[in-house]
Amino acid sequence: MTDTTAGLEVGAIVAERQVHLTRDSLVRYAGASGDFNPIHYRDDVAAEVGLPGVLAHGMLTMGLAVQPVSEWLGDRGWVASYGVRFTRPVVVDPRDGADVGVVAKVGTLDEQGRPSRIDLTVTAAGQTVLGKAQVTVAFR
C-alpha cells in the first residue's frame, strides 16, 4: 500500500464530504442513539423552547464530521482523540433538509512528517457549526 501521508504539509486537505440530512435521518439517529428529545423531530416543541427549527443531534453532527478522517486513515491508523465546540445548531428543514459540509485539513505534523492533528471545518447553511474541531490521529 502506498503511504498517502508522505509529503503532506500543514493545511493540506485530506478529506472532504457533503452530507444531506433529512427529518428521516434524525428519526433514524434517534432510534439508534436513544435520544428522543422532541427538539430533534417536532417543530412545535423546538419553537416553544425558542429554537429556529428542528435541530440535528449534536452527536450526529460530530460523528458525521469525523467519518471522512476515519475513512482517510483506513487501516493505517486510528483516531486517538476528537473534540469539538458546538457553535451553531444544524437546523433541518422539514422539506429541504440540511447539508453539512466537512473539510479536513492537516493541522500539525509529527516528528516523522506525518499528520498528527487534523482540523475540521464543519458548516451548514453557510455557517460554521462546530468550532475547534480537532482530531488527533495515530499511525501504525
Side-chain angles (χ1 to χ4, degrees):
M1 174 181 345
T2 306
D3 183 4
T4 58
T5 64
L8 288 175
E9 296 179 359
V10 170
I13 295 174
V14 297
E16 290 184 87
R17 174 159 302 149
Q18 186 90 354
V19 178
H20 183 71
L21 294 176
T22 64
R23 293 284 178 93
D24 286 348
S25 306
L26 304 184
V27 171
R28 287 185 182 99
Y29 182 80
S33 69
D35 181 352
F36 292 100
N37 186 325
I39 66 168
H40 300 303
Y41 59 89
R42 288 189 46 192
D43 291 295
D44 60 329
V45 174
E48 284 173 14
V49 297
L51 296 172
V54 165
L55 308 181
H57 301 73
M59 292 297 112
L60 172 59
T61 305
M62 198 174 166
L64 292 172
V66 77
Q67 186 65 34
V69 175
S70 180
E71 290 173 2
W72 168 74
L73 284 167
D75 293 338
R76 297 172 303 179
W78 63 94
V79 171
S81 67
Y82 176 40
V84 305
R85 210 170 26 97
F86 296 100
T87 57
R88 285 186 186 83
V90 176
V91 179
V92 181
D93 184 80
R95 186 181 61 247
D96 298 331
D99 292 313
V100 177
V102 180
V103 178
K105 294 182 180 181
V106 175
T108 59
L109 301 171
D110 66 14
E111 307 79 42
Q112 291 137 345
R114 297 177 301 190
S116 56
R117 189 188 78 224
I118 304 297
D119 297 335
L120 304 176
T121 301
V122 184
T123 58
Q127 297 187 310
T128 301
V129 296
L130 298 179
K132 200 166 174 141
Q134 297 179 329
V135 185
T136 304
V137 297
F139 291 91
R140 299 188 195 292

